[in-house]
C-alpha cells in the first residue's frame, strides 16, 4: 500500500475524531437524543447521530484524499445510496420511524446501488454442482442481503462501542481478505474499506464505555449498508468459499439476528418485536459488566475473523468440515448462554443423555 494512501487514512481518522464533538452538539440541537427507558442501558440522555461524523469523514476521504484510487461510477453510485441511508437514519434518530418505514429507506438505498453502482450478486458456483446463474433473482437476493446486514448491525448496537468495535473488526478482516484474495482491479474496494475503518477508529473513543455519543440509527445503518455493499463487490461471481467468508466475518451480528428471529417465532411474537434477550443482554444477565460484555463480544468477533481467514487456505472438504464444526460450536455456545431460552437446549440435552448412557454402561 502506497505511503500517500496510509497518510490519507490517518487524516481520515483525525477528521472523524475532530468532527465528533461538533456532531454531538448538533445532535442535542435537533433533538437526536436517546432518553433513558426500560429498553435503554443509558442512565442519562445520550446524543445519537454519531454516524454522521463517520459518514462525513469517510466521504471527504473517498471524494478528495483518495479520489485517484476510486472508479467514478462506483464512487458516485455508492454515494447516492449512502445519502439515502443516512437521511433515513437521521430522520429515525430524531422522530423514531416505524420498522416498515426504516425498511423502505433501506430498500431505496439498495435499489440505487444495484442499478447505479453495480452492487449485485450474479451467480453462485457450488462445489460438485456447478454454476447457478441467478438471472432475475439477482435483484431480490441482493436486496435481501443488504437489508439483512443493515438490520443485523443495527440490532447489535445495544451497548457503548459494541457495533462500532465489531464492525471495525469485521471490516478490517474484509479489507485484508480483499487485498490478498481479490484481483488487482478491485483493490479500490479494500482501500475504501480501510477509509471507513479509519473514520470509525476516530469515532470509537467517544463511543466506547462510558460513551459520550451513540452511533444512532444513522451510524448503525450506514455501517451495515457499507459492509453489505463491500461484501457484494467481492460476491458478484461467487463460489462456495467466497460466499462463506463474509458470513463468517459477520458471525456476531448474523448469529444475534438469526437467533432473535428464532426466539420470537418460538415465542409467537412479531419478528420486529423488541426484547432484552440479545447476545449482549444475555451476557450481562450472566453477571458480566457493561465493559466486560463489550470486550467479550469483541473477542468472539476476532475468533470469527480468524476462522474466516482459514477458508481461502483450505480445500473444499476442509471448508465443509470447518463450517460444520463452526455450526456445532456456535449452537453449543448459544444454548449455554440461553440466547433462545434457558429451556431450549436440544443439543446440550442430547449430549447429556449420551454421556449419561455411556457412563451408566461403564459402571455396569
Amino acid at each position: 500500500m502506497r505511503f500517500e494512501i496510509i497518510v490519507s487514512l490517518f487524516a481520515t481518522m483525525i477528521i472523524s475524531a475532530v468532527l465528533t464533538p461538533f456532531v454531538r452538539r448538533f445532535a442535542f440541537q435537533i433533538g437526536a437524543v436517546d432518553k433513558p427507558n426500560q429498553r435503554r442501558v443509558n442512565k442519562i440522555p445520550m446524543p445519537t447521530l454519531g454516524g454522521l461524523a463517520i459518514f462525513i469523514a469517510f466521504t471527504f476521504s473517498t471524494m478528495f484524499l483518495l479520489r485517484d484510487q476510486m472508479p467514478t461510477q462506483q464512487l458516485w453510485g455508492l454515494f447516492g445510496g449512502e445519502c439515502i441511508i443516512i437521511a433515513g437514519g437521521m430522520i429515525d434518530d430524531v422522530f423514531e420511524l416505524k420498522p416498515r418505514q426504516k425498511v423502505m429507506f433501506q430498500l431505496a438505498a439498495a435499489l440505487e446501488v444495484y442499478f447505479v453502482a453495480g452492487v449485485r450478486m450474479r451467480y453462485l458456483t457450488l462445489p460438485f454442482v456447478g454454476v447457478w446463474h441467478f438471472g432475475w433473482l439477482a435483484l431480490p437476493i441482493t436486496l435481501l442481503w443488504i437489508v439483512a446486514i443493515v438490520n443485523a448491525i443495527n440490532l447489535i448496537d445495544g451497548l457503548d462501542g459494541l457495533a462500532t468495535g465489531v464492525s471495525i473488526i469485521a471490516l478490517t478482516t474484509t479489507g485484508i481478505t480483499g487485498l490478498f484474495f481479490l484481483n488487482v482491479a478491485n483493490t479500490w474496494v479494500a482501500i475504501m474499506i480501510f477509509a471507513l475503518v479509519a473514520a470509525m477508529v476516530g469515532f470509537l473513543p467517544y463511543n466506547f464505555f462510558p460513551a459520550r455519543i451513540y452511533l444512532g440509527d444513522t451510524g448503525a445503518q450506514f455501517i451495515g449498508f457499507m459492509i453489505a455493499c463491500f461484501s457484494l463487490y467481492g460476491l458478484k461471481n461467487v463460489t462456495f468459499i467466497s460466499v462463506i467468508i463474509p458470513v463468517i466475518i459477520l458471525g456476531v451480528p448474523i448469529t444475534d439476528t438469526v437467533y432473535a428471529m428464532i426466539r420470537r417465532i418460538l415465542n409467537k411474537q412479531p419478528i420486529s418485536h423488541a426484547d432484552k434477550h440479545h447476545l449482549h443482554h444475555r451476557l450481562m444477565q450472566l453477571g458480566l459488566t457493561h465493559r466486560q460484555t463489550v470486550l467479550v463480544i469483541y473477542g468472539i468477533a476476532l475468533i470469527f475473523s480468524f476462522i474466516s481467514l482459514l477458508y481461502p487456505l483450505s480445500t473444499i472438504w476442509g471448508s465443509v468440515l470447518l463450517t460444520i464444526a463452526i455450526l456445532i460450536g456456535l449452537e453449543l455456545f448459544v444454548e449455554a448462554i440461553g440466547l433462545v431460552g434457558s429451556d431450549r437446549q436440544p443439543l446440550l440435552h442430547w449430549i447429556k443423555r449420551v454421556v449419561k448412557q455411556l457412563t451408566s454402561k461403564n459402571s455396569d
Side-chain angles (χ1 to χ4, degrees):
M1 188 175 288
R2 295 205 302 269
F3 180 71
E4 57 264 33
I5 296 176
I6 296 174
V7 172
S8 297
L9 295 178
F10 272 106
T12 304
M13 182 175 62
I14 294 169
I15 291 168
S16 178
V18 171
L19 279 174
T20 302
F22 294 98
V23 171
R24 185 178 187 277
R25 211 170 301 162
F26 178 63
F28 276 119
Q29 290 174 350
I30 67 172
V33 179
D34 257 353
K35 297 180 180 178
N37 59 37
Q38 290 182 342
R39 285 185 52 221
R40 310 290 186 188
V41 297
N42 53 303
K43 306 300 182 185
I44 59 173
M46 186 66 65
T48 57
L49 219 68
L52 185 61
I54 295 173
F55 168 70
I56 294 172
F58 171 75
T59 301
F60 182 82
S61 178
T62 53
M63 290 290 186
F64 298 100
L65 301 179
L66 297 167
R67 180 65 187 87
D68 293 341
Q69 310 295 327
M70 308 295 165
T72 300
Q73 182 179 352
Q74 281 79 5
L75 180 62
W76 285 102
L78 278 173
F79 180 68
E82 292 165 28
C83 289
I84 295 171
I85 207 77
I86 285 288
M90 290 181 68
I91 294 170
D92 188 36
D93 281 334
V94 177
F95 300 107
E96 290 197 26
L97 297 175
K98 296 177 180 177
R100 187 176 299 177
Q101 294 171 322
K102 291 184 187 182
V103 172
M104 292 304 294
F105 275 100
Q106 294 164 10
L107 286 173
L111 284 168
E112 196 279 342
V113 295
Y114 181 91
F115 288 108
V116 180
V119 176
R120 61 188 67 176
M121 196 185 298
R122 299 179 186 276
Y123 61 79
L124 175 64
T125 304
L126 294 171
F128 317 116
V129 176
V131 179
W132 176 27
H133 290 272
F134 292 134
W136 64 270
L137 286 173
L139 177 58
I141 288 172
T142 301
L143 297 184
L144 179 63
W145 174 266
I146 293 175
V147 171
I149 298 303
V150 168
N151 285 287
I153 299 298
N154 206 20
L155 278 176
I156 66 165
D157 186 28
L159 296 179
D160 298 0
L162 182 57
T164 307
V166 169
S167 298
I168 287 172
I169 293 168
L171 280 166
T172 302
T173 309
T174 304
I176 292 170
T177 305
L179 275 179
F180 288 101
F181 300 107
L182 290 181
N183 59 57
V184 177
N186 283 335
T187 52
W188 65 269
V189 177
I191 295 170
M192 190 175 272
I193 288 171
F194 289 128
L196 181 55
V197 169
M200 291 165 64
V201 169
F203 171 76
L204 184 59
Y206 300 94
N207 186 226
F208 193 73
F209 182 83
R212 283 169 280 173
I213 185 171
Y214 287 163
L215 272 176
D217 275 66
T218 306
Q221 293 196 67
F222 169 65
I223 292 170
F225 178 74
M226 296 309 297
I227 290 174
C229 290
F230 290 146
S231 63
L232 282 173
Y233 270 121
L235 294 178
K236 282 186 176 182
N237 309 312
V238 297
T239 63
F240 170 76
I241 302 299
S242 62
V243 79
I244 284 289
I245 289 174
V247 173
I248 299 298
I249 290 172
L250 295 169
V252 170
I254 288 176
T255 298
D256 198 29
T257 302
V258 169
Y259 281 95
M261 294 171 64
I262 294 171
R263 181 174 63 248
R264 290 162 188 173
I265 290 170
L266 291 174
N267 293 330
K268 298 180 180 178
Q269 296 172 334
I271 295 295
S272 59
H273 175 75
D275 59 34
K276 297 195 73 171
H277 297 285
H278 288 287
L279 175 59
H280 52 278
H281 292 132
R282 286 301 302 148
L283 290 173
M284 291 184 74
Q285 289 162 13
L286 290 173
L288 295 181
T289 65
H290 192 130
R291 184 189 294 266
Q292 287 170 342
T293 300
V294 172
L295 293 175
V296 165
I297 297 177
Y298 283 1
I300 296 170
L302 280 170
I303 291 170
F304 276 117
S305 292
F306 285 135
I307 292 172
S308 71
L309 295 175
L310 296 176
Y311 277 89
L313 306 175
S314 302
T315 62
I316 290 295
W317 281 112
S319 298
V320 171
L321 293 174
L322 185 59
T323 303
I324 293 171
I326 291 169
L327 292 174
I328 293 172
L330 191 59
E331 178 63 21
L332 288 172
F333 172 74
V334 164
E335 291 184 13
I337 67 169
L339 195 60
V340 179
S342 56
D343 58 335
R344 296 189 175 98
Q345 300 174 316
L347 186 55
L348 282 175
H349 289 322
W350 179 79
I351 291 173
K352 288 177 182 177
R353 285 199 303 269
V354 171
V355 171
K356 191 175 180 179
Q357 289 173 1
L358 290 174
T359 54
S360 62
K361 287 179 180 178
N362 290 334
S363 61
D364 293 339

